[in-house]
PDB file of all heavy atoms in Angstrom:
ATOM      1  N   PRO A 124      16.160  13.326  -6.329  1.00  0.00           N
ATOM      2  CA  PRO A 124      15.490  12.044  -6.102  1.00  0.00           C
ATOM      3  C   PRO A 124      13.996  12.101  -6.379  1.00  0.00           C
ATOM      4  O   PRO A 124      13.409  11.093  -6.809  1.00  0.00           O
ATOM      5  CB  PRO A 124      15.718  11.781  -4.602  1.00  0.00           C
ATOM      6  CG  PRO A 124      16.761  12.685  -4.158  1.00  0.00           C
ATOM      7  CD  PRO A 124      16.811  13.864  -5.095  1.00  0.00           C
ATOM      8  N   GLU A 125      13.402  13.234  -6.241  1.00  0.00           N
ATOM      9  CA  GLU A 125      11.967  13.360  -6.535  1.00  0.00           C
ATOM     10  C   GLU A 125      11.670  13.150  -7.992  1.00  0.00           C
ATOM     11  O   GLU A 125      10.636  12.598  -8.374  1.00  0.00           O
ATOM     12  CB  GLU A 125      11.377  14.707  -6.043  1.00  0.00           C
ATOM     13  CG  GLU A 125       9.878  14.796  -6.121  1.00  0.00           C
ATOM     14  CD  GLU A 125       9.147  13.643  -5.509  1.00  0.00           C
ATOM     15  OE1 GLU A 125       9.564  13.197  -4.396  1.00  0.00           O
ATOM     16  OE2 GLU A 125       8.165  13.145  -6.109  1.00  0.00           O
ATOM     17  N   GLU A 126      12.621  13.565  -8.836  1.00  0.00           N
ATOM     18  CA  GLU A 126      12.477  13.319 -10.292  1.00  0.00           C
ATOM     19  C   GLU A 126      12.493  11.821 -10.594  1.00  0.00           C
ATOM     20  O   GLU A 126      11.706  11.306 -11.417  1.00  0.00           O
ATOM     21  CB  GLU A 126      13.587  14.016 -11.057  1.00  0.00           C
ATOM     22  CG  GLU A 126      13.401  13.981 -12.576  1.00  0.00           C
ATOM     23  CD  GLU A 126      12.178  14.744 -13.013  1.00  0.00           C
ATOM     24  OE1 GLU A 126      11.882  15.816 -12.427  1.00  0.00           O
ATOM     25  OE2 GLU A 126      11.521  14.301 -13.959  1.00  0.00           O
ATOM     26  N   LEU A 127      13.334  11.075  -9.893  1.00  0.00           N
ATOM     27  CA  LEU A 127      13.374   9.605 -10.034  1.00  0.00           C
ATOM     28  C   LEU A 127      12.045   8.983  -9.547  1.00  0.00           C
ATOM     29  O   LEU A 127      11.504   8.105 -10.188  1.00  0.00           O
ATOM     30  CB  LEU A 127      14.600   9.023  -9.289  1.00  0.00           C
ATOM     31  CG  LEU A 127      15.951   9.340  -9.907  1.00  0.00           C
ATOM     32  CD1 LEU A 127      17.027   8.838  -9.041  1.00  0.00           C
ATOM     33  CD2 LEU A 127      16.058   8.742 -11.309  1.00  0.00           C
ATOM     34  N   HIS A 128      11.575   9.443  -8.380  1.00  0.00           N
ATOM     35  CA  HIS A 128      10.302   8.994  -7.842  1.00  0.00           C
ATOM     36  C   HIS A 128       9.172   9.206  -8.852  1.00  0.00           C
ATOM     37  O   HIS A 128       8.326   8.343  -9.091  1.00  0.00           O
ATOM     38  CB  HIS A 128       9.952   9.673  -6.508  1.00  0.00           C
ATOM     39  CG  HIS A 128      10.780   9.178  -5.369  1.00  0.00           C
ATOM     40  ND1 HIS A 128      10.773   7.912  -4.853  1.00  0.00           N
ATOM     41  CD2 HIS A 128      11.697   9.828  -4.609  1.00  0.00           C
ATOM     42  CE1 HIS A 128      11.576   7.805  -3.899  1.00  0.00           C
ATOM     43  NE2 HIS A 128      12.144   8.937  -3.675  1.00  0.00           N
ATOM     44  N   ALA A 129       9.156  10.387  -9.427  1.00  0.00           N
ATOM     45  CA  ALA A 129       8.108  10.751 -10.395  1.00  0.00           C
ATOM     46  C   ALA A 129       8.189   9.834 -11.638  1.00  0.00           C
ATOM     47  O   ALA A 129       7.131   9.357 -12.114  1.00  0.00           O
ATOM     48  CB  ALA A 129       8.208  12.213 -10.765  1.00  0.00           C
ATOM     49  N   PHE A 130       9.403   9.563 -12.068  1.00  0.00           N
ATOM     50  CA  PHE A 130       9.561   8.659 -13.258  1.00  0.00           C
ATOM     51  C   PHE A 130       9.030   7.287 -12.921  1.00  0.00           C
ATOM     52  O   PHE A 130       8.305   6.686 -13.740  1.00  0.00           O
ATOM     53  CB  PHE A 130      11.063   8.637 -13.650  1.00  0.00           C
ATOM     54  CG  PHE A 130      11.339   7.621 -14.753  1.00  0.00           C
ATOM     55  CD1 PHE A 130      10.963   7.902 -16.071  1.00  0.00           C
ATOM     56  CD2 PHE A 130      11.908   6.414 -14.441  1.00  0.00           C
ATOM     57  CE1 PHE A 130      11.203   6.991 -17.056  1.00  0.00           C
ATOM     58  CE2 PHE A 130      12.144   5.472 -15.465  1.00  0.00           C
ATOM     59  CZ  PHE A 130      11.800   5.777 -16.734  1.00  0.00           C
ATOM     60  N   VAL A 131       9.357   6.794 -11.744  1.00  0.00           N
ATOM     61  CA  VAL A 131       8.888   5.467 -11.374  1.00  0.00           C
ATOM     62  C   VAL A 131       7.347   5.411 -11.276  1.00  0.00           C
ATOM     63  O   VAL A 131       6.721   4.513 -11.807  1.00  0.00           O
ATOM     64  CB  VAL A 131       9.525   5.007  -9.998  1.00  0.00           C
ATOM     65  CG1 VAL A 131       8.808   3.789  -9.448  1.00  0.00           C
ATOM     66  CG2 VAL A 131      10.991   4.796 -10.200  1.00  0.00           C
ATOM     67  N   ARG A 132       6.731   6.419 -10.653  1.00  0.00           N
ATOM     68  CA  ARG A 132       5.290   6.468 -10.507  1.00  0.00           C
ATOM     69  C   ARG A 132       4.620   6.586 -11.900  1.00  0.00           C
ATOM     70  O   ARG A 132       3.634   5.878 -12.139  1.00  0.00           O
ATOM     71  CB  ARG A 132       4.868   7.648  -9.617  1.00  0.00           C
ATOM     72  CG  ARG A 132       5.110   7.410  -8.168  1.00  0.00           C
ATOM     73  CD  ARG A 132       4.454   8.517  -7.296  1.00  0.00           C
ATOM     74  NE  ARG A 132       4.870   9.856  -7.698  1.00  0.00           N
ATOM     75  CZ  ARG A 132       5.935  10.514  -7.180  1.00  0.00           C
ATOM     76  NH1 ARG A 132       6.670   9.940  -6.285  1.00  0.00           N
ATOM     77  NH2 ARG A 132       6.206  11.746  -7.607  1.00  0.00           N
ATOM     78  N   GLU A 133       5.153   7.414 -12.756  1.00  0.00           N
ATOM     79  CA  GLU A 133       4.570   7.585 -14.090  1.00  0.00           C
ATOM     80  C   GLU A 133       4.714   6.325 -14.923  1.00  0.00           C
ATOM     81  O   GLU A 133       3.818   5.989 -15.699  1.00  0.00           O
ATOM     82  CB  GLU A 133       5.239   8.768 -14.847  1.00  0.00           C
ATOM     83  CG  GLU A 133       4.902  10.119 -14.237  1.00  0.00           C
ATOM     84  CD  GLU A 133       5.853  11.202 -14.722  1.00  0.00           C
ATOM     85  OE1 GLU A 133       6.630  10.965 -15.653  1.00  0.00           O
ATOM     86  OE2 GLU A 133       5.781  12.313 -14.155  1.00  0.00           O
ATOM     87  N   THR A 134       5.798   5.643 -14.778  1.00  0.00           N
ATOM     88  CA  THR A 134       6.085   4.476 -15.592  1.00  0.00           C
ATOM     89  C   THR A 134       5.391   3.243 -15.090  1.00  0.00           C
ATOM     90  O   THR A 134       4.737   2.507 -15.880  1.00  0.00           O
ATOM     91  CB  THR A 134       7.599   4.246 -15.705  1.00  0.00           C
ATOM     92  OG1 THR A 134       8.220   5.469 -16.185  1.00  0.00           O
ATOM     93  CG2 THR A 134       7.927   3.082 -16.683  1.00  0.00           C
ATOM     94  N   LEU A 135       5.465   3.021 -13.771  1.00  0.00           N
ATOM     95  CA  LEU A 135       4.881   1.763 -13.205  1.00  0.00           C
ATOM     96  C   LEU A 135       3.497   1.908 -12.700  1.00  0.00           C
ATOM     97  O   LEU A 135       2.824   0.899 -12.440  1.00  0.00           O
ATOM     98  CB  LEU A 135       5.815   1.230 -12.116  1.00  0.00           C
ATOM     99  CG  LEU A 135       7.188   0.772 -12.505  1.00  0.00           C
ATOM    100  CD1 LEU A 135       8.008   0.370 -11.302  1.00  0.00           C
ATOM    101  CD2 LEU A 135       7.119  -0.344 -13.537  1.00  0.00           C
ATOM    102  N   GLY A 136       3.073   3.122 -12.474  1.00  0.00           N
ATOM    103  CA  GLY A 136       1.698   3.332 -11.957  1.00  0.00           C
ATOM    104  C   GLY A 136       1.538   2.627 -10.621  1.00  0.00           C
ATOM    105  O   GLY A 136       2.331   2.753  -9.729  1.00  0.00           O
ATOM    106  N   ASP A 137       0.463   1.868 -10.511  1.00  0.00           N
ATOM    107  CA  ASP A 137       0.161   1.136  -9.241  1.00  0.00           C
ATOM    108  C   ASP A 137       1.269   0.143  -8.879  1.00  0.00           C
ATOM    109  O   ASP A 137       1.399  -0.173  -7.677  1.00  0.00           O
ATOM    110  CB  ASP A 137      -1.168   0.388  -9.381  1.00  0.00           C
ATOM    111  CG  ASP A 137      -2.370   1.332  -9.444  1.00  0.00           C
ATOM    112  OD1 ASP A 137      -2.247   2.453  -8.994  1.00  0.00           O
ATOM    113  OD2 ASP A 137      -3.443   0.893  -9.920  1.00  0.00           O
ATOM    114  N   LEU A 138       2.029  -0.345  -9.806  1.00  0.00           N
ATOM    115  CA  LEU A 138       3.068  -1.319  -9.483  1.00  0.00           C
ATOM    116  C   LEU A 138       4.215  -0.725  -8.710  1.00  0.00           C
ATOM    117  O   LEU A 138       5.047  -1.428  -8.159  1.00  0.00           O
ATOM    118  CB  LEU A 138       3.647  -1.965 -10.743  1.00  0.00           C
ATOM    119  CG  LEU A 138       2.772  -2.893 -11.566  1.00  0.00           C
ATOM    120  CD1 LEU A 138       3.502  -3.473 -12.733  1.00  0.00           C
ATOM    121  CD2 LEU A 138       2.251  -4.035 -10.647  1.00  0.00           C
ATOM    122  N   ALA A 139       4.252   0.615  -8.640  1.00  0.00           N
ATOM    123  CA  ALA A 139       5.317   1.282  -7.904  1.00  0.00           C
ATOM    124  C   ALA A 139       5.133   1.125  -6.404  1.00  0.00           C
ATOM    125  O   ALA A 139       6.082   1.258  -5.632  1.00  0.00           O
ATOM    126  CB  ALA A 139       5.418   2.746  -8.279  1.00  0.00           C
ATOM    127  N   ALA A 140       3.893   0.869  -5.963  1.00  0.00           N
ATOM    128  CA  ALA A 140       3.575   0.765  -4.544  1.00  0.00           C
ATOM    129  C   ALA A 140       4.058  -0.531  -3.908  1.00  0.00           C
ATOM    130  O   ALA A 140       4.017  -1.612  -4.594  1.00  0.00           O
ATOM    131  CB  ALA A 140       2.092   0.934  -4.323  1.00  0.00           C
ATOM    132  N   ASP A 141       4.464  -0.505  -2.690  1.00  0.00           N
ATOM    133  CA  ASP A 141       4.907  -1.717  -1.965  1.00  0.00           C
ATOM    134  C   ASP A 141       3.922  -2.202  -0.968  1.00  0.00           C
ATOM    135  O   ASP A 141       4.188  -3.094  -0.167  1.00  0.00           O
ATOM    136  CB  ASP A 141       6.250  -1.440  -1.274  1.00  0.00           C
ATOM    137  CG  ASP A 141       7.443  -1.522  -2.184  1.00  0.00           C
ATOM    138  OD1 ASP A 141       7.374  -2.197  -3.232  1.00  0.00           O
ATOM    139  OD2 ASP A 141       8.439  -0.910  -1.892  1.00  0.00           O
ATOM    140  N   ASP A 142       2.763  -1.554  -0.892  1.00  0.00           N
ATOM    141  CA  ASP A 142       1.813  -1.858   0.175  1.00  0.00           C
ATOM    142  C   ASP A 142       0.834  -3.036  -0.140  1.00  0.00           C
ATOM    143  O   ASP A 142       0.171  -3.523   0.709  1.00  0.00           O
ATOM    144  CB  ASP A 142       1.037  -0.664   0.583  1.00  0.00           C
ATOM    145  CG  ASP A 142       0.333   0.020  -0.635  1.00  0.00           C
ATOM    146  OD1 ASP A 142       0.610  -0.371  -1.787  1.00  0.00           O
ATOM    147  OD2 ASP A 142      -0.459   0.980  -0.419  1.00  0.00           O
ATOM    148  N   GLU A 143       0.761  -3.475  -1.385  1.00  0.00           N
ATOM    149  CA  GLU A 143      -0.094  -4.597  -1.752  1.00  0.00           C
ATOM    150  C   GLU A 143       0.700  -5.744  -2.241  1.00  0.00           C
ATOM    151  O   GLU A 143       1.365  -5.620  -3.256  1.00  0.00           O
ATOM    152  CB  GLU A 143      -1.131  -4.165  -2.818  1.00  0.00           C
ATOM    153  CG  GLU A 143      -2.203  -3.251  -2.299  1.00  0.00           C
ATOM    154  CD  GLU A 143      -3.316  -3.030  -3.329  1.00  0.00           C
ATOM    155  OE1 GLU A 143      -3.788  -4.053  -3.955  1.00  0.00           O
ATOM    156  OE2 GLU A 143      -3.620  -1.862  -3.591  1.00  0.00           O
ATOM    157  N   PRO A 144       0.638  -6.854  -1.605  1.00  0.00           N
ATOM    158  CA  PRO A 144       1.437  -8.054  -2.015  1.00  0.00           C
ATOM    159  C   PRO A 144       1.176  -8.463  -3.478  1.00  0.00           C
ATOM    160  O   PRO A 144       2.093  -8.888  -4.188  1.00  0.00           O
ATOM    161  CB  PRO A 144       0.941  -9.161  -1.079  1.00  0.00           C
ATOM    162  CG  PRO A 144       0.505  -8.458   0.129  1.00  0.00           C
ATOM    163  CD  PRO A 144      -0.120  -7.140  -0.352  1.00  0.00           C
ATOM    164  N   GLU A 145      -0.076  -8.322  -4.004  1.00  0.00           N
ATOM    165  CA  GLU A 145      -0.355  -8.715  -5.329  1.00  0.00           C
ATOM    166  C   GLU A 145       0.380  -7.817  -6.345  1.00  0.00           C
ATOM    167  O   GLU A 145       0.901  -8.326  -7.312  1.00  0.00           O
ATOM    168  CB  GLU A 145      -1.881  -8.600  -5.630  1.00  0.00           C
ATOM    169  CG  GLU A 145      -2.269  -8.982  -7.060  1.00  0.00           C
ATOM    170  CD  GLU A 145      -3.649  -8.711  -7.389  1.00  0.00           C
ATOM    171  OE1 GLU A 145      -4.428  -8.256  -6.555  1.00  0.00           O
ATOM    172  OE2 GLU A 145      -4.003  -9.011  -8.564  1.00  0.00           O
ATOM    173  N   LEU A 146       0.506  -6.546  -6.048  1.00  0.00           N
ATOM    174  CA  LEU A 146       1.184  -5.631  -6.941  1.00  0.00           C
ATOM    175  C   LEU A 146       2.709  -5.911  -6.879  1.00  0.00           C
ATOM    176  O   LEU A 146       3.420  -5.852  -7.915  1.00  0.00           O
ATOM    177  CB  LEU A 146       0.907  -4.175  -6.566  1.00  0.00           C
ATOM    178  CG  LEU A 146      -0.533  -3.752  -6.755  1.00  0.00           C
ATOM    179  CD1 LEU A 146      -0.760  -2.311  -6.277  1.00  0.00           C
ATOM    180  CD2 LEU A 146      -0.966  -3.887  -8.209  1.00  0.00           C
ATOM    181  N   VAL A 147       3.208  -6.190  -5.678  1.00  0.00           N
ATOM    182  CA  VAL A 147       4.640  -6.531  -5.583  1.00  0.00           C
ATOM    183  C   VAL A 147       4.916  -7.837  -6.379  1.00  0.00           C
ATOM    184  O   VAL A 147       5.936  -7.928  -7.098  1.00  0.00           O
ATOM    185  CB  VAL A 147       5.017  -6.719  -4.060  1.00  0.00           C
ATOM    186  CG1 VAL A 147       6.458  -7.242  -3.937  1.00  0.00           C
ATOM    187  CG2 VAL A 147       4.890  -5.391  -3.317  1.00  0.00           C
ATOM    188  N   ASP A 148       3.997  -8.757  -6.289  1.00  0.00           N
ATOM    189  CA  ASP A 148       4.183 -10.028  -7.026  1.00  0.00           C
ATOM    190  C   ASP A 148       4.127  -9.771  -8.549  1.00  0.00           C
ATOM    191  O   ASP A 148       4.903 -10.387  -9.299  1.00  0.00           O
ATOM    192  CB  ASP A 148       3.098 -10.992  -6.567  1.00  0.00           C
ATOM    193  CG  ASP A 148       3.425 -12.415  -6.976  1.00  0.00           C
ATOM    194  OD1 ASP A 148       4.595 -12.812  -6.945  1.00  0.00           O
ATOM    195  OD2 ASP A 148       2.457 -13.157  -7.292  1.00  0.00           O
TER     196      ASP A 148
END
């Protein structure tokens, strides 16, 4: 699962985070 997490973080960057409503939007 960590490999999938890393792929998401590398691909989406800041958009991977769920803590900011603007980024989620």
Side-chain angles (χ1 to χ4, degrees):
E125 189 50 42
E126 188 64 38
L127 291 173
H128 286 295
F130 175 75
V131 169
R132 284 190 306 270
E133 290 165 9
T134 305
L135 293 177
D137 290 340
L138 289 183
D141 280 336
D142 54 351
E143 286 189 50
E145 179 187 1
L146 296 176
V147 172
D148 197 36

